[in-house]
Amino acid sequence: MTSLIDDWSRRDVELRASLAYNSVSVPLAGMLASGQDDHINELFERVATTDSRVVAVGMCRSDGEPAYATKLMPSSIRCAEIARSDVESFSSVIVNGRRMLIGAFPIAVGTPQGHFIIVQDLTFAEHRGQEARNYLTLILGGIILASGALAAGFVLYLIRNWTQKFKQAVTSATRNGDAGAAPATFGLLDREVRQVLRQLEMSQSAIDRDQANWSKSTLRDIVTAELPGVEVLVVANREPYIHNRGAEGIEMQTPASGLVSAVEPVMRACGGTWIAHGSGTADRETVDARDRIAVPPDHPEYTLRRIWISEEEQDGYYYGLANEGLWPLCHIAFTRPVFRESDWRIYRAVNERFADAVVAEARTPSPIVLVQDYHFALLPRMIRERLPEATIVTFWHIPWPNSETFGIFPWKEEIIHGLLGSTIIGFHTQFHCNNFLETVDRFVECRIDREEESVTHRGHETFIRPYPISIDWPPAALARQRPIAECREAVRKRFGLPPDTKIAIGIERFDYTKGVLDRIRAVDTLLEAHPEWRGRFVLVQVAAPTRSKLSTYRGLQEEAIQLADEINARYAGVSPAPVRLIIRHHEPDEVFELFRAADVCIVSSLHDGMNLVAKEFIAARDDERGVLMLSHFAGASRELAEALIINPYDAHATGEALHSALTMSDAEQHERMRLMRAYVSSRNVYRWAGRMLLDASRLRKKQRIFEIAAGNPARAAR
Ligand code: F6P
């Protein structure tokens, strides 16, 4: 374009020069012939000033010498060089940095008399070229922008159209399962997208059908329909079956653990592998070469994989960091937590060991891993690093404190980072979820979506959800129970109680969070304020020794024994003695018999994630009688509003509540118990696990849709 414009401009200038010469050639010839020098000079000056582009006009004689020239004729122009041709000629020169065009026209009037010279400025041609280039660039830019915008608009239209179809189809599949509402085609991904939508649609109808009636078989059906072929792995410190060497050989024990009583029936329903610390003295003798045992031993339904932990590791990981650090920190029962660097190191190492075991047990790249409790806060991240496609659901069985309290934990960022490796983190109550979100917000850099209740940390999104844990319904131990009257008879006989004695029962692990001392003190206030109960009331307190290696736990036992003795001594003449303290582990059948024999069950936790004893008492009372006294500080109090809610820190009020419980009419007991039984029967442990697994399944499907949309149908198919 530049050379084209230059050529064009040059030709224009040449033409103007020719015109100028033509206009003067005749008078010039006459003036030359008559030697009118003045007139020639005048004529040349006129020509030079009529056009601003003409710089100078002159003449070269035929002998090559300059003859006439206007004032601005450049001195560098040599006639010998420019005026040689006998036809018109043009040449360009640079004068003082400016380009000039010199036209030379032979003047022939009879005999050649020389050349007419006209010098023109070419700078204007350069300006014109530059302007033309600018316009051209603008026009081309405009064309590119317009076609780009047109193309972008078209692509946007396509994407919007596709997204709308996709949304429509997902919404109809998830809300009402109406496949007919799905659009005709999804283009290249049509087959894969339709497959996912069909699954969503099928599962949705299955859930709607069974939602109100959760049972072992509902859970099984949902796992089969929603998560076909999925592999379920549980990681929990406590194993569901412990083999100990006893006087009569190997004995099997089921531990006193809310966690075990909740997760065990779920594993029976779903199958899979439970990875746990092998803590029994005969555990090694009962596993196969790969440290596995099929359980329950009499009719196996899943696999227990035992991990061996040395005494030193157990001290650092279980007793130290977990139970002297995190346990008191999260429970806020006014026992000071202890944090040791060495415990933290061991805790991390043991978590690594379990992460390796998860990888070793996993048969697929995307299992569902159910991580249990505060023993494994670092495990979710470790599993995520090893099995990036796994669905990791972590359940925190104990309370999560407010951020200020959690702030004293020396490795808080690491713990939070570890937990946020999970796909979902579950707590018993919304309150604990809120505390967790507040803690995360305060201590790590992340994005919190309050509407979705999710945390995005380093590009990974974790969902925070409340799943109130519960019990098997009806519990297996209930089927083996005798009628209520026989249970009462047996218990009265065992403790030597007269028939009119009212029995209150307390059953738990001997833990300072359970409020055992406060409960015993409340008995004292009851007998003080209501002497009529002396000799007509007994508290049977069953406490299973736990974590006895720790001085706080040993101290609690000693204190409880002393307190019970003191109170019994105070009412020395009274029979039966008001407090019976029985320190030993009870198997579920014995526990249920005690529940069925009791008039009142006291759950006086100073702080508790949920407390399943409360729910087990309700399950044991198929006669729809008995009164539950329940601490306001146990998660269960959020659900069991018909219990007598107590503040265990207030001994007087608790004693009064005990009096109300003992005097409650049969009709009121019946009404309260009936409502609580209806609640727990439907909100049982299958619902707890089912809701978690359904959420996990939805997130897996969502992930699959993303994989498909990202063009990875192979990953989506896993
Ligand atoms: O409450 C937390 C918890 O893990 C429970 O789930 C369980 O009942 C209890 O602690 C068991 O404690 P441990 O395994 O230390 O005996």
Side-chain angles (χ1 to χ4, degrees), residues 252-269:
M252 197 185 72
Q253 196 193 62
T254 47
S257 160
L259 183 156
V260 169
S261 49
V263 180
E264 215 273 332
V266 175
M267 283 305 276
R268 286 193 192 205

Side-chain angles (χ1 to χ4, degrees), residues 237-238 256-259 318 323 327 373-375 397-398 509 546-547:
N237 172 68
R238 188 60 66 198
S257 160
L259 183 156
Y318 174 78
N323 285 317
W327 179 271
D373 233 350
Y374 60 102
H375 310 92
H397 288 257
I398 62 178
R509 289 181 307 105
T546 176
R547 306 172 190 169

Side-chain angles (χ1 to χ4, degrees), residues 435-567:
N435 279 351
F436 180 75
L437 285 171
E438 187 203 320
T439 308
V440 170
D441 199 11
R442 185 145 168 197
F443 297 117
V444 298
E445 209 166 292
C446 61
R447 189 169 60 79
I448 296 182
D449 184 334
R450 301 271 168 192
E451 210 178 345
E452 272 289 329
E453 284 208 272
S454 75
V455 180
T456 303
H457 175 56
R458 299 186 192 172
H460 173 75
E461 189 172 21
T462 303
F463 294 83
I464 316 301
R465 294 278 181 276
Y467 302 106
I469 204 167
S470 196
I471 55 167
D472 189 3
W473 189 280
L478 190 62
R480 299 186 290 266
Q481 291 298 312
R482 290 176 289 171
I484 290 276
E486 288 178 34
C487 292
R488 292 176 88 96
E489 184 55 36
V491 169
R492 279 170 203 284
K493 208 162 153 198
R494 191 174 322 139
F495 294 110
L497 303 174
D500 65 339
T501 314
K502 294 276 190 183
I503 303 172
I505 189 90
I507 300 184
E508 53 256 306
R509 289 181 307 105
F510 223 144
D511 196 296
Y512 53 82
T513 61
K514 302 293 180 187
V516 176
L517 298 178
D518 304 83
R519 192 178 308 165
I520 297 174
R521 283 188 202 110
V523 170
D524 194 18
T525 61
L526 168 83
L527 300 182
E528 263 303 312
H530 301 279
E532 68 272 24
W533 290 114
R534 297 177 189 177
R536 291 181 49 230
F537 168 84
V538 66
L539 167 69
V540 176
Q541 177 60 52
V542 170
T546 176
R547 306 172 190 169
S548 310
K549 207 167 180 179
L550 300 179
S551 57
T552 36
Y553 284 80
R554 289 196 307 274
L556 172 71
Q557 280 197 36
E558 283 158 22
E559 212 179 324
I561 294 169
Q562 202 178 332
L563 184 63
D565 287 349
E566 262 172 37
I567 291 171

Side-chain angles (χ1 to χ4, degrees), residues 263-321:
V263 180
E264 215 273 332
V266 175
M267 283 305 276
R268 286 193 192 205
C270 303
T273 302
W274 180 319
I275 304 170
H277 168 213
S279 57
T281 52
D283 272 354
R284 283 180 194 264
E285 294 161 53
T286 44
V287 291
D288 65 13
R290 298 172 70 192
D291 300 328
R292 293 186 182 140
I293 173 172
V295 288
D298 41 353
H299 52 283
E301 287 177 293
Y302 64 97
T303 304
L304 170 61
R305 159 79 198 274
R306 286 173 172 153
I307 304 287
W308 313 117
I309 293 177
S310 70
E311 206 176 322
E312 193 198 346
E313 286 173 327
Q314 179 74 342
D315 286 350
Y317 141 80
Y318 174 78
Y319 287 111
L321 202 282

Side-chain angles (χ1 to χ4, degrees), residues 560-694:
I561 294 169
Q562 202 178 332
L563 184 63
D565 287 349
E566 262 172 37
I567 291 171
N568 287 339
R570 192 167 313 144
Y571 304 100
V574 171
S575 176
V579 182
R580 287 291 175 87
L581 185 57
I582 305 144
I583 305 177
R584 77 167 169 83
H585 173 77
H586 283 54
E587 285 294 323
D589 287 2
E590 294 177 274
V591 172
F592 268 70
E593 185 181 58
L594 287 169
F595 281 148
R596 287 166 72 76
D599 297 285
V600 180
C601 173
I602 311 178
V603 174
S604 53
S605 308
L606 303 180
H607 203 182
D608 222 330
M610 172 56 71
N611 193 291
L612 292 185
V613 168
K615 293 187 176 179
E616 279 171 350
F617 174 67
I618 292 166
R621 299 311 296 258
D622 51 6
D623 62 332
E624 299 184 334
R625 297 297 186 279
V627 182
L628 173 65
M629 288 172 63
L630 178 58
S631 167
H632 173 75
F633 309 112
S637 69
R638 300 283 176 279
E639 296 184 277
L640 304 174
E642 294 78 17
L644 286 187
I645 304 296
I646 55 169
N647 172 3
Y649 288 95
D650 184 343
H652 174 75
T654 307
E656 285 306 308
L658 185 49
H659 174 68
S660 304
L662 294 171
T663 52
M664 189 181 285
S665 72
D666 194 62
E668 187 176 344
Q669 284 185 39
H670 175 230
E671 193 52 23
R672 287 176 185 258
M673 186 54 84
R674 192 179 60 78
L675 290 170
M676 289 193 286
R677 281 177 63 79
Y679 185 91
V680 180
S681 67
S682 61
R683 286 173 167 74
N684 54 40
V685 75
Y686 300 109
R687 181 178 185 270
W688 172 74
R691 286 181 60 232
M692 265 191 295
L693 291 172
L694 280 176

Side-chain angles (χ1 to χ4, degrees), residues 112-150:
Q113 295 193 2
H115 286 77
F116 174 80
I117 306 297
I118 180 162
V119 181
Q120 287 175 285
D121 192 345
L122 276 181
T123 329
F124 92 93
E126 283 167 13
H127 289 160
R128 178 191 280 175
Q130 187 56 46
E131 260 174 39
R133 274 194 297 277
N134 288 349
Y135 280 125
L136 206 69
T137 314
L138 275 177
I139 290 166
L140 280 176
I143 292 173
I144 290 170
L145 275 178
S147 47
L150 210 71

